[in-house]
């Protein structure tokens, strides 16, 4: 299996690790990285993406800069989670690598048109770039293969507000359009809490591992680990974007998934970014998305740790 993929990312923290998984995968060919406004200042995100490519010796992958703000709403960072620059606090990347010419949304459209039905998207940030690509190419749904989205909070509290997960909260107008028009596979915050929490014991297994990837993970995990300790009392960190990457790389990790009607509340106010998932089918609307409901957490952990040890994710399967 060789799947062509664009990774659309607000590169900070776990985004970098999701990129590592995608780049290290034998099943994926990462054709481009597209950057969107999200976790930290845009310029930091762009550098963080390039720095991640350099850790993997993959500076050949083009980085396209995209939306510098959400479609309509005010942008709010999450640097209180990931540290100011987004790489754990002290590391501010300065790679000297040039960005590719053109806007991220155009890059998505062009790569999709190159081979209709072959390109998949791994969307691990706010969905602004993807919504802009849809606006530029209404046929995009037919041109794409799979679209895996990390976003939403299905039947659980959000991580940004009680109603909303961060990626959907930042640009709910984009999330609404993308969920409406593309047939997405949703990896939501509740799934992350259930199946993608890397605890202190798991992290300790990396202590003797001397690889650039493991060192990089240690750097980026300092700030989110501290945030997790302060907010939940637990020692460890969640891996939302890496879980989304793993679902694309290794769908055999998915234990349960179901088709539902999904919508996003784009209105300003208490429920901004709320992801409505009609689990009981009471709205009588056709299903438009696949919601991943359970992943084999142990196998995901093994896949993640194997990759940081320098192997491919597939080596753990
Ligand atoms: C998502 O929000 C961001 O802070 C993370 O990078 C992840 O994509 C989790 O809600
Ligand atoms: Ca992200």
């Amino acid at each position: 299996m060789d799947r062509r993929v664009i990774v659309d990312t607000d590169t900070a923290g776990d985004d970098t690790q999701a990129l590592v998984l995608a780049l290290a995968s034998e099943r994926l060919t990462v054709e481009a990285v597209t950057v969107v406004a999200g976790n930290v200042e845009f310029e930091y995100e762009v550098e963080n993406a390039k720095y991640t490519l350099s850790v993997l010796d993959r500076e050949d992958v083009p980085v396209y800069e995209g939306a510098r703000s959400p479609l309509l709403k005010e942008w709010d960072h999450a640097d209180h989670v990931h540290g100011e620059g987004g790489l754990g606090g002290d590391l501010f990347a300065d790679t000297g690598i040039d960005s590719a010419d053109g806007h991220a949304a155009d890059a998505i459209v062009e790569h999709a048109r190159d081979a209709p039905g072959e390109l998949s998207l791994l969307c691990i940030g706010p969905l602004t770039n993807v919504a802009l690509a849809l606006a530029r190419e209404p046929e995009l749904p037919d041109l794409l293969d799979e679209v895996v989205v990390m976003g939403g909070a299905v039947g659980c509290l959000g991580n940004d507000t009680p109603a909303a997960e961060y990626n959907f909260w930042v640009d709910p107008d984009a999330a609404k359009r993308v969920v409406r028009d593309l047939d997405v596979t949703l990896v939501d915050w509740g799934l992350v809490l259930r199946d993608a929490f890397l605890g202190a014991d798991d992290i300790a297994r990396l202590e003797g591992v001397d690889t650039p990837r493991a060192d990089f993970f240690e750097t980026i995990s300092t700030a989110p680990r501290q945030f997790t300790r302060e907010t939940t009392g637990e020692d460890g960190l969640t891996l939302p974007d890496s879980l989304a990457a793993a679902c694309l790389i290794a769908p055999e990790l998915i234990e349960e998934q179901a088709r539902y009607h999904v919508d996003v509340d784009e209105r300003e106010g208490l429920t901004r970014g709320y992801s409505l998932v009609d689990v009981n089918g009471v709205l009588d609307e056709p299903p438009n998305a696949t919601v991943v409901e359970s992943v084999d957490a142990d196998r995901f952990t093994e896949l993640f740790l194997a990759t940081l040890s320098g192997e491919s994710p597939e080596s753990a399967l």
Side-chain angles (χ1 to χ4, degrees), residues 20 25 53 73 88-89 99 107-108 114 125 142-143 148 160 212-213 217 237 281:
V20 168
S25 169
L53 295 176
K73 302 281 193 290
S99 295
I108 291 171
D114 273 353
D142 294 331
L143 295 175
V148 176
D160 199 61
R213 297 179 196 176
F217 171 76
L237 71 165

Side-chain angles (χ1 to χ4, degrees), residues 4 106-117 119 136-140 143-144:
R4 301 170 50 217
D106 291 323
I108 291 171
V109 169
E110 280 156 24
H111 282 255
R113 283 179 185 151
D114 273 353
L119 182 73
R136 285 168 204 203
E137 174 51 280
E139 301 298 320
L140 195 62
L143 295 175
L144 291 173

Side-chain angles (χ1 to χ4, degrees), residues 9-10 12 15 39 124-126 167 241:
T9 162
D10 56 336
D15 287 75
N39 280 320
I124 53 177
N167 289 337
D241 298 336

Side-chain angles (χ1 to χ4, degrees), residues 10 12 14-15 39 78 82 124-125 150 159 165-167 189 240-241:
D10 56 336
D14 179 41
D15 287 75
N39 280 320
H82 304 291
I124 53 177
M150 192 286 128
N159 58 0
E165 175 279 335
Y166 179 76
N167 289 337
W189 181 246
D241 298 336

Side-chain angles (χ1 to χ4, degrees), residues 71-115:
L71 292 180
L72 301 167
K73 302 281 193 290
E74 291 269 324
W75 174 17
D76 202 3
H77 302 135
D79 45 13
H80 58 290
V81 182
H82 304 291
E84 185 193 338
L87 295 182
D90 296 334
L91 176 59
F92 291 86
D94 184 12
T95 61
I97 299 171
D98 290 331
S99 295
D101 291 336
H103 191 282
D106 291 323
I108 291 171
V109 169
E110 280 156 24
H111 282 255
R113 283 179 185 151
D114 273 353

Side-chain angles (χ1 to χ4, degrees), residues 24 33 38 42-43 48 86 110 114 123-124 128 137 160 164 168 176 193 226 238 277 281 285 304:
V33 175
F42 190 81
E43 307 304 339
N48 295 345
E110 280 156 24
D114 273 353
C123 307
I124 53 177
T128 323
E137 174 51 280
D160 199 61
F168 278 20
K176 190 178 187 75
L193 292 178
Q226 174 80 8
T238 51
V277 179
E285 295 282 351
F304 187 77

